[in-house]
């Protein structure tokens, strides 16, 4: 007898169904893949402003002395160096230096941080941090009370200014402020997963339906699903945990070692230092094909008939007009411009190794 | 012109031994946004139910099957750079290729519009 475990729903599930969105499983969740068309939503985000339901993501709240509580031990970068009112992207590692998750840490106050993690890793990440804590502190998983909406696109500031007020103009890239919208207090950060200028909004679960409906009353804002989100993030080389990075991959392999601080102690330090000195056997690369065909996850990468790597994410990129992807290849071959061949099952696609940030968008930082 | 449908969700319009083919609205809805189609070669020989060419959407790669045996006489080259035409108009502007049928009897093994609609009803249940 098979037991069906019901997929989880965000508070916006009924809204999405009423809207006619195509709902699909995403880990333990049932999420909107698309509202109308994946490519249409992708285009709208790149040209105007799109709204994403990402309530499934996890949030932890910590209050305590950052040094005395031992929380710094869980992170390969210093939380106390993050300026108040700003946030930082980084990874947390296991003892072998493998990536447990990638996440963003918000410095709310001198002794308060908000940690935002991937939906599939909430329990794991909570344990990872909790295990190092000592003395007096508060550390709670507020994921089930915290909703998250992403508003992304070149017109995002202009449009949100009308609803949040001029203060939104003062938020720098990777900065955040507490602002009011429709009578609700929302943490608004200038961050995102699309490579476009945009914002991530954190608000109470019980208020998210109202705010979602309120934002969509502004006809300039259109909802977009996970299908569009995946293409948007691949185009700027952002990793998807469980695909491009996981516990078997280290920061040096993934080119995420920029967030490592070697002058502090942290879980996984020994392994990471070893790799810094001895090098790694495989490296993360970007792949650009010469066709509209897309590289797909698990496709093999070959050079002169020999398998040298594999694809971890891929799609057709409307911006690049060709298939693009992210993958791993033996370090000796990981040079941009090198030609490779991708085994797509029955077909070989010709491609070159490229910078995974396939295009650079100026509006994101200005 | 008579319109017929296959179990592989292709449509054909028949005029004597001349056939135009494409993918049905149902097939295209299942595929999602089309990103690539590899059109068959002109003069290529086709055999009913063998793979004719391949198509990709945002989600996945798929095969398109020859609805009848014959020869490819024309292809819709607009689709090479604008495969989204298939999504916009699957049963008109999104036609994929034209074929010259070698055995008009084969049409008997293909579904009528009513039979195809019945097939769709079964699938959706």
């Amino acid at each position: 007898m098979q037991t069906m475990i019901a997929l989880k729903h965000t508070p916006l599930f009924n809204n999405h169904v009423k809207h006619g969105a195509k709902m699909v499983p995403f880990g333990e969740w049932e999420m909107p893949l698309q509202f109308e068309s994946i490519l249409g939503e992708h285009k709208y985000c790149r040209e105007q402003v799109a709204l994403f339901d990402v309530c499934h993501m996890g949030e932890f709240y910590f209050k305590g002395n950052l040094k005395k509580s031992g929380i710094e031990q869980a992170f390969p970068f210093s939380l106390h160096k993050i300026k108040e009112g700003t946030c930082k992207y980084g990874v947390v590692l296991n003892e072998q230096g493998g990536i447990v998750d990638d996440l963003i840490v918000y410095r709310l106050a001198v002794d308060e941080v908000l940690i935002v993690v991937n939906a599939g890793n909430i329990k794991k990440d909570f344990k990872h941090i909790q295990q190092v804590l000592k003395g007096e502190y508060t550390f709670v998983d507020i994921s089930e009370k915290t909703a998250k909406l992403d508003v992304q696109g070149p017109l995002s500031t202009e449009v949100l200014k009308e609803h949040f007020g001029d203060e939104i103009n003062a938020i720098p890239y990777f900065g955040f402020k507490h602002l009011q919208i429709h009578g609700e207090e929302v943490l608004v950060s200038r961050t995102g997963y699309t490579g476009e200028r945009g914002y991530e909004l954190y608000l109470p679960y019980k208020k998210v339906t109202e705010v979602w409906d309120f934002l969509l009353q502004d006809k300039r804002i259109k909802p977009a699903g996970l299908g569009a989100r995946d293409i948007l993030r691949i185009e700027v080389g952002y990793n998807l945990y469980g695909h491009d990075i996981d516990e078997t991959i280290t920061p040096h392999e993934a080119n995420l070692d920029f967030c490592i601080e070697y002058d502090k102690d942290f879980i996984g330090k020994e392994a990471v230092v070893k790799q810094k000195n001895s090098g790694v056997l495989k490296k993360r690369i970007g792949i650009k094909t010469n066709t509209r065909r897309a590289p797909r996850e698990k496709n093999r990468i070959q050079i002169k008939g020999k398998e040298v790597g594999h694809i971890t994410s891929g799609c057709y990129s409307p911006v690049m007009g060709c298939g693009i992807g992210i993958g791993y290849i033996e370090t000796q071959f990981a040079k941009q411009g090198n030609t490779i061949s991708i085994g797509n099952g029955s077909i070989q696609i010709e491609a070159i190794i490229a910078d995974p940030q396939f295009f650079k968008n100026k509006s994101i930082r200005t | 012109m008579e319109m017929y449908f296959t179990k592989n969700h292709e449509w054909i319009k028949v005029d004597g031994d001349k056939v135009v083919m494409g993918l049905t609205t149902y097939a295209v809805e299942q595929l999602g946004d089309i990103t690539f189609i590899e059109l068959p070669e002109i003069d290529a020989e086709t055999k009913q139910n063998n793979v004719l060419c391949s198509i990709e959407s945002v989600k996945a790669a798929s095969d398109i099957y020859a609805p009848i045996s014959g020869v490819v006489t024309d292809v819709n080259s607009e689709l090479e750079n604008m495969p989204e035409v298939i999504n916009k108009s699957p049963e008109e502007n999104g036609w994929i290729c034209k074929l010259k049928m070698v055995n008009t009897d084969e049409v008997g093994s293909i579904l009528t519009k009513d039979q195809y609609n019945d097939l769709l009803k079964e699938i959706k249940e």
Side-chain angles (χ1 to χ4, degrees):
Chain A
M1 192 181 79
Q2 256 191 342
T3 323
M4 285 281 285
I5 299 170
L7 292 169
K8 295 183 185 168
H9 292 158
T10 74
L12 295 165
F13 179 82
N14 288 330
N15 287 56
H16 301 329
V17 169
K18 241 184 0 205
H19 199 120
K22 201 173 207 177
M23 304 302 290
V24 294
F26 181 78
E28 296 180 308
W29 298 79
E30 198 171 3
M31 299 296 286
L33 176 75
Q34 66 190 71
F35 288 83
E36 285 181 31
S37 114
I38 293 177
L39 294 185
E41 288 155 36
H42 165 278
K43 185 172 153 83
Y44 203 78
C45 183
R46 287 260 176 260
E47 293 178 358
Q48 305 207 47
V49 51
L51 175 64
F52 298 86
D53 169 10
V54 282
C55 293
H56 59 321
M57 289 178 70
E59 295 87 5
F60 307 146
Y61 171 76
F62 173 90
K63 187 179 165 92
N65 185 296
L66 295 182
K67 291 195 176 130
K68 290 191 188 146
S69 64
I71 193 174
E72 295 278 16
Q73 185 72 13
F75 297 84
F77 53 95
S78 299
L79 302 194
H80 70 268
K81 287 186 183 164
I82 303 171
K83 230 173 76 176
E84 280 174 60
T86 71
C87 56
K88 187 180 166 76
Y89 169 82
V91 292
V92 285
L93 310 173
N94 58 32
E95 291 285 0
Q96 295 74 43
I99 299 169
V100 166
D101 204 3
D102 64 341
L103 41 73
I104 297 193
V105 180
Y106 291 73
R107 189 80 181 274
L108 302 174
V110 116
D111 62 350
E112 280 177 76
V113 293
L114 174 74
I115 300 160
V116 182
V117 302
N118 284 300
N121 296 331
I122 293 172
K123 290 200 175 81
K124 184 176 75 159
D125 292 357
F126 191 81
K127 257 170 79 175
H128 173 84
I129 299 167
Q130 167 112 96
Q131 69 180 324
V132 302
L133 299 178
K134 55 188 191 231
E136 304 241 322
Y137 62 86
T138 303
F139 183 54
V140 276
D141 176 357
I142 55 170
S143 309
E144 290 186 8
K145 293 197 301 189
T146 310
K148 181 172 182 278
L149 300 178
D150 285 11
V151 180
Q152 303 275 308
L155 303 185
S156 54
T157 309
E158 187 182 312
V159 168
L160 289 185
K161 198 172 67 174
E162 287 187 29
H163 306 296
F164 280 108
D166 282 344
E167 270 196 273
I168 201 167
N169 273 330
I171 307 177
Y173 187 48
F174 273 86
F176 66 87
K177 272 187 184 293
H178 286 93
L179 299 177
Q180 292 263 334
I181 188 173
H182 194 56
E184 304 305 336
E185 189 178 276
V186 177
L187 190 162
V188 180
S189 70
R190 219 176 108 200
T191 44
Y193 193 52
T194 62
E196 289 301 324
R197 185 184 187 82
Y199 301 86
E200 295 186 297
L201 315 181
Y202 299 87
L203 60 160
Y205 234 52
K206 53 188 196 243
K207 301 293 183 187
V208 72
T209 330
E210 276 172 53
V211 173
W212 172 272
D213 287 339
F214 176 75
L215 285 170
L216 288 182
Q217 268 170 36
D218 185 334
K219 292 303 166 196
R220 294 172 294 177
I221 303 176
K222 290 208 173 127
L226 295 187
R229 193 170 164 86
D230 199 42
I231 300 176
L232 290 160
R233 65 99 186 165
I234 295 175
E235 284 179 327
V236 286
Y238 290 173
N239 295 312
L240 177 61
Y241 193 85
H243 299 260
D244 311 301
I245 51 175
D246 60 36
E247 297 223 25
T248 69
I249 292 170
T250 65
H252 283 98
E253 289 168 339
N255 289 327
L256 292 178
D257 51 300
F258 63 82
C259 66
I260 312 278
E261 287 170 34
Y262 296 95
D263 57 359
K264 75 181 292 274
D265 227 4
F266 55 88
I267 300 172
K269 180 172 185 179
E270 205 182 304
V272 160
V273 167
K274 216 164 156 198
Q275 288 206 333
K276 180 172 190 275
N277 296 329
S278 66
V280 290
L281 296 176
K282 64 179 190 251
K283 273 286 195 190
R284 188 177 86 107
I285 53 167
I287 292 113
K288 206 166 133 200
T289 76
N290 64 359
T291 157
R292 273 172 159 268
R293 286 190 190 275
R296 309 269 178 187
E297 190 176 356
K298 297 202 178 105
N299 285 171
R300 317 319 294 173
I301 296 175
Q302 285 148 0
I303 292 181
K304 294 198 172 86
K306 185 172 162 253
E307 183 173 318
V308 292
H310 65 283
I311 305 290
T312 53
S313 286
C315 68
Y316 167 73
S317 161
V319 168
M320 306 303 294
C322 64
I324 58 172
I326 297 170
Y328 286 82
I329 197 169
E330 285 173 29
T331 307
Q332 56 173 318
F333 300 117
K335 196 165 154 243
Q336 283 180 31
N338 275 0
T339 51
I340 55 175
S341 181
I342 299 167
N344 187 345
S346 46
I347 299 156
Q348 291 292 121
I349 305 175
E350 299 314 304
I352 58 165
I353 298 178
D355 181 349
Q357 198 179 355
F358 297 97
F359 84 105
K360 287 168 177 45
N361 187 335
K362 292 195 200 115
S363 84
I364 191 175
R365 286 175 195 268
T366 54
Chain B
M1 274 203 281
E2 282 295 318
M3 195 164 176
Y4 297 94
F5 300 82
T6 72
K7 290 188 191 144
N8 293 317
H9 307 288
E10 289 113 16
W11 58 262
I12 62 170
K13 287 176 189 162
V14 184
D15 181 12
D17 65 350
K18 296 201 188 73
V19 168
V20 187
M21 69 151 288
L23 294 177
T24 64
T25 303
Y26 173 78
V28 170
E29 270 167 15
Q30 296 304 300
L31 283 168
D33 291 294
I34 310 286
T35 52
F36 169 81
I37 182 167
E38 180 206 37
L39 294 168
E41 298 279 335
I42 292 181
D43 292 337
E45 282 178 23
T46 69
K47 196 156 185 289
Q48 192 179 41
N49 296 327
N50 276 8
V51 174
L52 173 67
C53 62
S54 63
I55 193 165
E56 285 195 21
S57 70
V58 170
K59 283 196 279 178
S62 225
D63 285 324
I64 298 176
Y65 299 89
I68 51 100
S69 309
V71 175
V72 177
T73 56
D74 197 5
V75 295
N76 188 353
S77 4
E78 179 191 37
L79 300 180
E80 269 167 5
N81 291 325
M82 301 213 328
E84 59 268 23
V85 170
I86 299 176
N87 290 101
K88 290 195 188 113
S89 174
E91 296 180 6
E92 293 285 337
N93 299 336
W95 66 273
I96 292 170
C97 67
K98 293 182 182 167
L99 304 156
K100 187 169 143 98
M101 221 179 344
V102 294
N103 179 5
T104 49
D105 285 345
E106 277 182 347
V107 179
S109 63
I110 298 179
L111 308 172
T112 62
K113 195 176 178 103
D114 285 338
Q115 287 171 326
Y116 183 62
N117 285 336
D118 286 341
L119 174 67
L120 289 185
K121 276 199 204 113
E122 265 175 57
I123 294 172
K124 286 171 187 174
E125 263 151 35

